[in-house]
Amino acid sequence: MTLLVPSRPALIEAFTVPKGFGDQTLRDRRPDAIELLGGIPDPSVLPTAELAEATARVLAAPGAPSLQYSRTEGILALREWIAAREGVAVERVLITNGGFHGLALAVQIVLERGDLVAVDNPVFPLFLRGLELADARVLPIRVGVEGLDVDELASQLRDGARPAAVYTVPEFHNPSQSSLPTERRRELVALAERFGFVVFADDPYRELRFHGEPESVAPFHDSDHVIHVNTFTKTLGPGLRLGWVVLPERLVPDAVALRSRQDSHSSTFVQAVIAELLTSDAGLFDRVLGRARSLYRSRARALADALEAEAPGVFDVTVPDGGLFLWPRLNDEAIDADRLAADASAEGVEYQRGSFFASGPGTDADRHLRLAYGDTDEDDLRTAAARLARAVARQR
């Protein structure tokens, strides 16, 4: 294992995160602006009362063990709960400080400086920042209605591309909201095993399915060529900064060695509280998910319906089966997408432009809008749709 610490700002040529992604200070905004910007869970579906009770019980434990150091891998009770839910051996579970930390560890464990990494196109842009840890080169692979285009990846491999890793969001892809079918997951893993790369499966939205049957994670867990990344960010709260990775057995020693040379371990206290929360009431997590799924299902439909009502025919909108975003496409090629974002801001609605998410050519991401609905109530979503329609009208 090579521990990668960049000595200079890394350059990912033509694939850097666009200026302004997630930056709330770039331009003046109306004080009443409705922000549909980030995948933020709604406070009403987070288990705040239960967290308070679990915290009190943890702090009342004799000797306050939650305020002491703990193991690099994470406290056993939490890892056992995750392992049981994931269907893997507990030895393969490493607790992290959220999902992005898991991705950063994967990058540093697997990649050598300058390695080629195949990534979603469009892509979750912040992952490209993670690749700066390795000065990585990027190979964009199209994402379609069934997630990462495994056929395109296979074609690139046949033509001689040799990525060290492939990054994808397999369930409710950010931003497109597509999901990689189980059979395609098997094909992706088979390619990884044949050509020797590691799949970074980034799965923070998996539990937020509100329609249809879940895809299987078994293809990821049954292979020693997949690092499966997940987090409590979207379900229990991003402020907890708590997630996990399921590692192949062969990579566990490297991951533990790397972590022990960084921050040693995630907060013992936060881990203890979440372990207490999840193990003291076996059905709590699923009840939390049930409330969240119902709320987000309603908000996704409300926003989609409002867009069609306020701007008929302007957008091609697919209501996803889960996740926290809509990914509508502008039907009218005469509408300038960048100008629309500026006009929408003037009207009082903020969103992420689709062009922010392209990792290379060959995608129509610039014709899309990414609209987040997780923490915005339905009245505000309808108001946002009306404001967006007024922004469209400015160009007509």
PDB file of all heavy atoms in Angstrom, residues 311-341:
ATOM      1  N   ALA A 311     -45.080  24.932 -16.056  1.00  0.00           N
ATOM      2  CA  ALA A 311     -44.326  25.083 -17.313  1.00  0.00           C
ATOM      3  C   ALA A 311     -44.603  23.876 -18.194  1.00  0.00           C
ATOM      4  O   ALA A 311     -43.721  23.032 -18.398  1.00  0.00           O
ATOM      5  CB  ALA A 311     -42.835  25.240 -17.025  1.00  0.00           C
ATOM      6  N   PRO A 312     -45.814  23.775 -18.729  1.00  0.00           N
ATOM      7  CA  PRO A 312     -46.192  22.578 -19.492  1.00  0.00           C
ATOM      8  C   PRO A 312     -45.257  22.334 -20.676  1.00  0.00           C
ATOM      9  O   PRO A 312     -45.007  23.229 -21.478  1.00  0.00           O
ATOM     10  CB  PRO A 312     -47.615  22.904 -19.972  1.00  0.00           C
ATOM     11  CG  PRO A 312     -48.104  23.987 -19.065  1.00  0.00           C
ATOM     12  CD  PRO A 312     -46.907  24.770 -18.669  1.00  0.00           C
ATOM     13  N   GLY A 313     -44.744  21.110 -20.751  1.00  0.00           N
ATOM     14  CA  GLY A 313     -43.920  20.715 -21.878  1.00  0.00           C
ATOM     15  C   GLY A 313     -42.496  21.229 -21.877  1.00  0.00           C
ATOM     16  O   GLY A 313     -41.708  20.850 -22.754  1.00  0.00           O
ATOM     17  N   VAL A 314     -42.150  22.083 -20.929  1.00  0.00           N
ATOM     18  CA  VAL A 314     -40.801  22.655 -20.913  1.00  0.00           C
ATOM     19  C   VAL A 314     -39.765  21.617 -20.481  1.00  0.00           C
ATOM     20  O   VAL A 314     -38.659  21.579 -21.018  1.00  0.00           O
ATOM     21  CB  VAL A 314     -40.746  23.889 -19.984  1.00  0.00           C
ATOM     22  CG1 VAL A 314     -39.302  24.348 -19.781  1.00  0.00           C
ATOM     23  CG2 VAL A 314     -41.594  25.019 -20.550  1.00  0.00           C
ATOM     24  N   PHE A 315     -40.140  20.771 -19.523  1.00  0.00           N
ATOM     25  CA  PHE A 315     -39.191  19.821 -18.963  1.00  0.00           C
ATOM     26  C   PHE A 315     -39.651  18.392 -19.215  1.00  0.00           C
ATOM     27  O   PHE A 315     -40.843  18.078 -19.170  1.00  0.00           O
ATOM     28  CB  PHE A 315     -39.054  20.013 -17.437  1.00  0.00           C
ATOM     29  CG  PHE A 315     -38.575  21.368 -17.032  1.00  0.00           C
ATOM     30  CD1 PHE A 315     -39.476  22.315 -16.543  1.00  0.00           C
ATOM     31  CD2 PHE A 315     -37.246  21.710 -17.131  1.00  0.00           C
ATOM     32  CE1 PHE A 315     -39.043  23.568 -16.153  1.00  0.00           C
ATOM     33  CE2 PHE A 315     -36.799  22.968 -16.744  1.00  0.00           C
ATOM     34  CZ  PHE A 315     -37.698  23.896 -16.257  1.00  0.00           C
ATOM     35  N   ASP A 316     -38.691  17.532 -19.457  1.00  0.00           N
ATOM     36  CA  ASP A 316     -38.926  16.097 -19.454  1.00  0.00           C
ATOM     37  C   ASP A 316     -38.527  15.604 -18.063  1.00  0.00           C
ATOM     38  O   ASP A 316     -37.341  15.602 -17.720  1.00  0.00           O
ATOM     39  CB  ASP A 316     -38.090  15.429 -20.534  1.00  0.00           C
ATOM     40  CG  ASP A 316     -38.307  13.920 -20.605  1.00  0.00           C
ATOM     41  OD1 ASP A 316     -39.233  13.425 -19.938  1.00  0.00           O
ATOM     42  OD2 ASP A 316     -37.533  13.239 -21.306  1.00  0.00           O
ATOM     43  N   VAL A 317     -39.524  15.224 -17.263  1.00  0.00           N
ATOM     44  CA  VAL A 317     -39.287  14.881 -15.861  1.00  0.00           C
ATOM     45  C   VAL A 317     -39.644  13.420 -15.618  1.00  0.00           C
ATOM     46  O   VAL A 317     -40.742  12.975 -15.961  1.00  0.00           O
ATOM     47  CB  VAL A 317     -40.120  15.764 -14.914  1.00  0.00           C
ATOM     48  CG1 VAL A 317     -39.775  15.451 -13.458  1.00  0.00           C
ATOM     49  CG2 VAL A 317     -39.896  17.236 -15.200  1.00  0.00           C
ATOM     50  N   THR A 318     -38.725  12.693 -15.026  1.00  0.00           N
ATOM     51  CA  THR A 318     -38.986  11.330 -14.566  1.00  0.00           C
ATOM     52  C   THR A 318     -38.948  11.332 -13.049  1.00  0.00           C
ATOM     53  O   THR A 318     -37.959  11.762 -12.450  1.00  0.00           O
ATOM     54  CB  THR A 318     -37.931  10.345 -15.101  1.00  0.00           C
ATOM     55  OG1 THR A 318     -37.979  10.338 -16.529  1.00  0.00           O
ATOM     56  CG2 THR A 318     -38.186   8.947 -14.578  1.00  0.00           C
ATOM     57  N   VAL A 319     -40.041  10.880 -12.432  1.00  0.00           N
ATOM     58  CA  VAL A 319     -40.053  10.774 -10.974  1.00  0.00           C
ATOM     59  C   VAL A 319     -39.271   9.530 -10.589  1.00  0.00           C
ATOM     60  O   VAL A 319     -39.596   8.419 -11.030  1.00  0.00           O
ATOM     61  CB  VAL A 319     -41.489  10.693 -10.433  1.00  0.00           C
ATOM     62  CG1 VAL A 319     -41.478  10.562  -8.907  1.00  0.00           C
ATOM     63  CG2 VAL A 319     -42.283  11.929 -10.836  1.00  0.00           C
ATOM     64  N   PRO A 320     -38.222   9.669  -9.805  1.00  0.00           N
ATOM     65  CA  PRO A 320     -37.371   8.513  -9.490  1.00  0.00           C
ATOM     66  C   PRO A 320     -38.058   7.557  -8.527  1.00  0.00           C
ATOM     67  O   PRO A 320     -39.072   7.876  -7.900  1.00  0.00           O
ATOM     68  CB  PRO A 320     -36.143   9.156  -8.843  1.00  0.00           C
ATOM     69  CG  PRO A 320     -36.675  10.409  -8.213  1.00  0.00           C
ATOM     70  CD  PRO A 320     -37.752  10.903  -9.145  1.00  0.00           C
ATOM     71  N   ASP A 321     -37.482   6.370  -8.401  1.00  0.00           N
ATOM     72  CA  ASP A 321     -37.976   5.375  -7.447  1.00  0.00           C
ATOM     73  C   ASP A 321     -37.405   5.585  -6.055  1.00  0.00           C
ATOM     74  O   ASP A 321     -37.722   4.822  -5.141  1.00  0.00           O
ATOM     75  CB  ASP A 321     -37.619   3.967  -7.929  1.00  0.00           C
ATOM     76  CG  ASP A 321     -38.410   3.554  -9.153  1.00  0.00           C
ATOM     77  OD1 ASP A 321     -39.527   4.073  -9.357  1.00  0.00           O
ATOM     78  OD2 ASP A 321     -37.900   2.715  -9.928  1.00  0.00           O
ATOM     79  N   GLY A 322     -36.563   6.581  -5.894  1.00  0.00           N
ATOM     80  CA  GLY A 322     -35.971   6.851  -4.592  1.00  0.00           C
ATOM     81  C   GLY A 322     -34.987   7.997  -4.695  1.00  0.00           C
ATOM     82  O   GLY A 322     -34.871   8.653  -5.736  1.00  0.00           O
ATOM     83  N   GLY A 323     -34.275   8.239  -3.600  1.00  0.00           N
ATOM     84  CA  GLY A 323     -33.270   9.299  -3.595  1.00  0.00           C
ATOM     85  C   GLY A 323     -33.846  10.652  -3.229  1.00  0.00           C
ATOM     86  O   GLY A 323     -34.969  10.766  -2.734  1.00  0.00           O
ATOM     87  N   LEU A 324     -33.066  11.697  -3.519  1.00  0.00           N
ATOM     88  CA  LEU A 324     -33.393  13.045  -3.047  1.00  0.00           C
ATOM     89  C   LEU A 324     -33.404  14.092  -4.151  1.00  0.00           C
ATOM     90  O   LEU A 324     -33.430  15.288  -3.850  1.00  0.00           O
ATOM     91  CB  LEU A 324     -32.391  13.466  -1.960  1.00  0.00           C
ATOM     92  CG  LEU A 324     -32.457  12.661  -0.659  1.00  0.00           C
ATOM     93  CD1 LEU A 324     -31.289  13.016   0.255  1.00  0.00           C
ATOM     94  CD2 LEU A 324     -33.773  12.895   0.064  1.00  0.00           C
ATOM     95  N   PHE A 325     -33.387  13.663  -5.424  1.00  0.00           N
ATOM     96  CA  PHE A 325     -33.272  14.631  -6.514  1.00  0.00           C
ATOM     97  C   PHE A 325     -34.217  14.316  -7.665  1.00  0.00           C
ATOM     98  O   PHE A 325     -34.550  13.159  -7.924  1.00  0.00           O
ATOM     99  CB  PHE A 325     -31.846  14.634  -7.087  1.00  0.00           C
ATOM    100  CG  PHE A 325     -30.760  14.820  -6.071  1.00  0.00           C
ATOM    101  CD1 PHE A 325     -29.951  13.756  -5.713  1.00  0.00           C
ATOM    102  CD2 PHE A 325     -30.551  16.052  -5.471  1.00  0.00           C
ATOM    103  CE1 PHE A 325     -28.941  13.912  -4.778  1.00  0.00           C
ATOM    104  CE2 PHE A 325     -29.548  16.226  -4.535  1.00  0.00           C
ATOM    105  CZ  PHE A 325     -28.739  15.163  -4.183  1.00  0.00           C
ATOM    106  N   LEU A 326     -34.624  15.378  -8.374  1.00  0.00           N
ATOM    107  CA  LEU A 326     -35.131  15.262  -9.735  1.00  0.00           C
ATOM    108  C   LEU A 326     -34.023  15.698 -10.685  1.00  0.00           C
ATOM    109  O   LEU A 326     -33.182  16.519 -10.336  1.00  0.00           O
ATOM    110  CB  LEU A 326     -36.362  16.148  -9.953  1.00  0.00           C
ATOM    111  CG  LEU A 326     -37.660  15.808  -9.224  1.00  0.00           C
ATOM    112  CD1 LEU A 326     -38.791  16.701  -9.737  1.00  0.00           C
ATOM    113  CD2 LEU A 326     -38.042  14.346  -9.353  1.00  0.00           C
ATOM    114  N   TRP A 327     -34.084  15.168 -11.922  1.00  0.00           N
ATOM    115  CA  TRP A 327     -33.070  15.461 -12.936  1.00  0.00           C
ATOM    116  C   TRP A 327     -33.788  15.820 -14.238  1.00  0.00           C
ATOM    117  O   TRP A 327     -33.631  15.156 -15.259  1.00  0.00           O
ATOM    118  CB  TRP A 327     -32.167  14.244 -13.085  1.00  0.00           C
ATOM    119  CG  TRP A 327     -31.009  14.292 -14.024  1.00  0.00           C
ATOM    120  CD1 TRP A 327     -30.812  13.466 -15.089  1.00  0.00           C
ATOM    121  CD2 TRP A 327     -29.842  15.143 -13.994  1.00  0.00           C
ATOM    122  NE1 TRP A 327     -29.612  13.745 -15.717  1.00  0.00           N
ATOM    123  CE2 TRP A 327     -28.986  14.773 -15.057  1.00  0.00           C
ATOM    124  CE3 TRP A 327     -29.444  16.180 -13.147  1.00  0.00           C
ATOM    125  CZ2 TRP A 327     -27.762  15.400 -15.310  1.00  0.00           C
ATOM    126  CZ3 TRP A 327     -28.229  16.807 -13.398  1.00  0.00           C
ATOM    127  CH2 TRP A 327     -27.413  16.423 -14.462  1.00  0.00           C
ATOM    128  N   PRO A 328     -34.620  16.874 -14.227  1.00  0.00           N
ATOM    129  CA  PRO A 328     -35.385  17.214 -15.426  1.00  0.00           C
ATOM    130  C   PRO A 328     -34.498  17.724 -16.549  1.00  0.00           C
ATOM    131  O   PRO A 328     -33.487  18.399 -16.318  1.00  0.00           O
ATOM    132  CB  PRO A 328     -36.344  18.301 -14.942  1.00  0.00           C
ATOM    133  CG  PRO A 328     -35.676  18.894 -13.756  1.00  0.00           C
ATOM    134  CD  PRO A 328     -34.906  17.785 -13.114  1.00  0.00           C
ATOM    135  N   ARG A 329     -34.930  17.413 -17.779  1.00  0.00           N
ATOM    136  CA  ARG A 329     -34.212  17.874 -18.969  1.00  0.00           C
ATOM    137  C   ARG A 329     -35.026  18.939 -19.675  1.00  0.00           C
ATOM    138  O   ARG A 329     -36.246  18.830 -19.796  1.00  0.00           O
ATOM    139  CB  ARG A 329     -33.952  16.713 -19.928  1.00  0.00           C
ATOM    140  CG  ARG A 329     -33.030  17.085 -21.087  1.00  0.00           C
ATOM    141  CD  ARG A 329     -32.915  15.988 -22.116  1.00  0.00           C
ATOM    142  NE  ARG A 329     -31.848  16.258 -23.076  1.00  0.00           N
ATOM    143  CZ  ARG A 329     -31.953  17.111 -24.100  1.00  0.00           C
ATOM    144  NH1 ARG A 329     -33.090  17.778 -24.302  1.00  0.00           N
ATOM    145  NH2 ARG A 329     -30.926  17.296 -24.921  1.00  0.00           N
ATOM    146  N   LEU A 330     -34.342  19.975 -20.135  1.00  0.00           N
ATOM    147  CA  LEU A 330     -34.991  21.024 -20.922  1.00  0.00           C
ATOM    148  C   LEU A 330     -35.324  20.480 -22.305  1.00  0.00           C
ATOM    149  O   LEU A 330     -34.435  20.024 -23.039  1.00  0.00           O
ATOM    150  CB  LEU A 330     -34.071  22.237 -21.042  1.00  0.00           C
ATOM    151  CG  LEU A 330     -33.924  23.100 -19.793  1.00  0.00           C
ATOM    152  CD1 LEU A 330     -32.702  24.003 -19.900  1.00  0.00           C
ATOM    153  CD2 LEU A 330     -35.184  23.930 -19.569  1.00  0.00           C
ATOM    154  N   ASN A 331     -36.607  20.526 -22.661  1.00  0.00           N
ATOM    155  CA  ASN A 331     -37.024  20.036 -23.978  1.00  0.00           C
ATOM    156  C   ASN A 331     -36.699  21.015 -25.098  1.00  0.00           C
ATOM    157  O   ASN A 331     -36.432  20.598 -26.226  1.00  0.00           O
ATOM    158  CB  ASN A 331     -38.528  19.754 -23.970  1.00  0.00           C
ATOM    159  CG  ASN A 331     -38.870  18.484 -23.213  1.00  0.00           C
ATOM    160  OD1 ASN A 331     -38.134  17.503 -23.270  1.00  0.00           O
ATOM    161  ND2 ASN A 331     -39.983  18.499 -22.497  1.00  0.00           N
ATOM    162  N   ASP A 332     -36.752  22.301 -24.804  1.00  0.00           N
ATOM    163  CA  ASP A 332     -36.571  23.343 -25.814  1.00  0.00           C
ATOM    164  C   ASP A 332     -35.085  23.676 -25.924  1.00  0.00           C
ATOM    165  O   ASP A 332     -34.498  24.271 -25.018  1.00  0.00           O
ATOM    166  CB  ASP A 332     -37.374  24.578 -25.429  1.00  0.00           C
ATOM    167  CG  ASP A 332     -37.369  25.654 -26.507  1.00  0.00           C
ATOM    168  OD1 ASP A 332     -36.564  25.544 -27.461  1.00  0.00           O
ATOM    169  OD2 ASP A 332     -38.161  26.604 -26.395  1.00  0.00           O
ATOM    170  N   GLU A 333     -34.461  23.300 -27.049  1.00  0.00           N
ATOM    171  CA  GLU A 333     -33.037  23.550 -27.222  1.00  0.00           C
ATOM    172  C   GLU A 333     -32.719  25.033 -27.333  1.00  0.00           C
ATOM    173  O   GLU A 333     -31.556  25.435 -27.213  1.00  0.00           O
ATOM    174  CB  GLU A 333     -32.527  22.816 -28.477  1.00  0.00           C
ATOM    175  CG  GLU A 333     -32.646  21.300 -28.404  1.00  0.00           C
ATOM    176  CD  GLU A 333     -31.779  20.704 -27.300  1.00  0.00           C
ATOM    177  OE1 GLU A 333     -30.693  21.249 -27.019  1.00  0.00           O
ATOM    178  OE2 GLU A 333     -32.202  19.693 -26.713  1.00  0.00           O
ATOM    179  N   ALA A 334     -33.745  25.861 -27.556  1.00  0.00           N
ATOM    180  CA  ALA A 334     -33.516  27.304 -27.652  1.00  0.00           C
ATOM    181  C   ALA A 334     -33.305  27.955 -26.293  1.00  0.00           C
ATOM    182  O   ALA A 334     -32.827  29.087 -26.209  1.00  0.00           O
ATOM    183  CB  ALA A 334     -34.692  27.974 -28.370  1.00  0.00           C
ATOM    184  N   ILE A 335     -33.652  27.262 -25.233  1.00  0.00           N
ATOM    185  CA  ILE A 335     -33.468  27.808 -23.888  1.00  0.00           C
ATOM    186  C   ILE A 335     -32.017  27.633 -23.477  1.00  0.00           C
ATOM    187  O   ILE A 335     -31.480  26.524 -23.496  1.00  0.00           O
ATOM    188  CB  ILE A 335     -34.396  27.124 -22.875  1.00  0.00           C
ATOM    189  CG1 ILE A 335     -35.852  27.419 -23.206  1.00  0.00           C
ATOM    190  CG2 ILE A 335     -34.076  27.590 -21.448  1.00  0.00           C
ATOM    191  CD1 ILE A 335     -36.843  26.691 -22.320  1.00  0.00           C
ATOM    192  N   ASP A 336     -31.377  28.725 -23.121  1.00  0.00           N
ATOM    193  CA  ASP A 336     -29.991  28.711 -22.658  1.00  0.00           C
ATOM    194  C   ASP A 336     -29.989  28.278 -21.190  1.00  0.00           C
ATOM    195  O   ASP A 336     -30.526  28.976 -20.328  1.00  0.00           O
ATOM    196  CB  ASP A 336     -29.372  30.096 -22.820  1.00  0.00           C
ATOM    197  CG  ASP A 336     -27.908  30.120 -22.423  1.00  0.00           C
ATOM    198  OD1 ASP A 336     -27.611  29.940 -21.221  1.00  0.00           O
ATOM    199  OD2 ASP A 336     -27.055  30.327 -23.295  1.00  0.00           O
ATOM    200  N   ALA A 337     -29.364  27.135 -20.909  1.00  0.00           N
ATOM    201  CA  ALA A 337     -29.421  26.570 -19.569  1.00  0.00           C
ATOM    202  C   ALA A 337     -28.682  27.424 -18.553  1.00  0.00           C
ATOM    203  O   ALA A 337     -29.129  27.559 -17.399  1.00  0.00           O
ATOM    204  CB  ALA A 337     -28.854  25.152 -19.576  1.00  0.00           C
ATOM    205  N   ASP A 338     -27.569  28.002 -18.939  1.00  0.00           N
ATOM    206  CA  ASP A 338     -26.834  28.850 -17.996  1.00  0.00           C
ATOM    207  C   ASP A 338     -27.606  30.121 -17.682  1.00  0.00           C
ATOM    208  O   ASP A 338     -27.667  30.563 -16.531  1.00  0.00           O
ATOM    209  CB  ASP A 338     -25.455  29.194 -18.565  1.00  0.00           C
ATOM    210  CG  ASP A 338     -24.509  28.013 -18.547  1.00  0.00           C
ATOM    211  OD1 ASP A 338     -24.718  27.109 -17.715  1.00  0.00           O
ATOM    212  OD2 ASP A 338     -23.580  27.980 -19.364  1.00  0.00           O
ATOM    213  N   ARG A 339     -28.200  30.720 -18.715  1.00  0.00           N
ATOM    214  CA  ARG A 339     -29.019  31.908 -18.470  1.00  0.00           C
ATOM    215  C   ARG A 339     -30.228  31.560 -17.611  1.00  0.00           C
ATOM    216  O   ARG A 339     -30.629  32.347 -16.746  1.00  0.00           O
ATOM    217  CB  ARG A 339     -29.472  32.524 -19.784  1.00  0.00           C
ATOM    218  CG  ARG A 339     -30.346  33.752 -19.569  1.00  0.00           C
ATOM    219  CD  ARG A 339     -30.861  34.363 -20.850  1.00  0.00           C
ATOM    220  NE  ARG A 339     -31.959  35.271 -20.549  1.00  0.00           N
ATOM    221  CZ  ARG A 339     -32.722  35.847 -21.466  1.00  0.00           C
ATOM    222  NH1 ARG A 339     -32.502  35.608 -22.757  1.00  0.00           N
ATOM    223  NH2 ARG A 339     -33.708  36.656 -21.111  1.00  0.00           N
ATOM    224  N   LEU A 340     -30.794  30.371 -17.820  1.00  0.00           N
ATOM    225  CA  LEU A 340     -31.942  29.968 -17.017  1.00  0.00           C
ATOM    226  C   LEU A 340     -31.581  29.921 -15.535  1.00  0.00           C
ATOM    227  O   LEU A 340     -32.360  30.355 -14.682  1.00  0.00           O
ATOM    228  CB  LEU A 340     -32.445  28.602 -17.471  1.00  0.00           C
ATOM    229  CG  LEU A 340     -33.652  28.055 -16.699  1.00  0.00           C
ATOM    230  CD1 LEU A 340     -34.866  28.955 -16.868  1.00  0.00           C
ATOM    231  CD2 LEU A 340     -33.963  26.632 -17.137  1.00  0.00           C
ATOM    232  N   ALA A 341     -30.397  29.404 -15.225  1.00  0.00           N
ATOM    233  CA  ALA A 341     -29.976  29.339 -13.818  1.00  0.00           C
ATOM    234  C   ALA A 341     -29.864  30.739 -13.225  1.00  0.00           C
ATOM    235  O   ALA A 341     -30.274  30.978 -12.080  1.00  0.00           O
ATOM    236  CB  ALA A 341     -28.653  28.602 -13.701  1.00  0.00           C
TER     237      ALA A 341
END
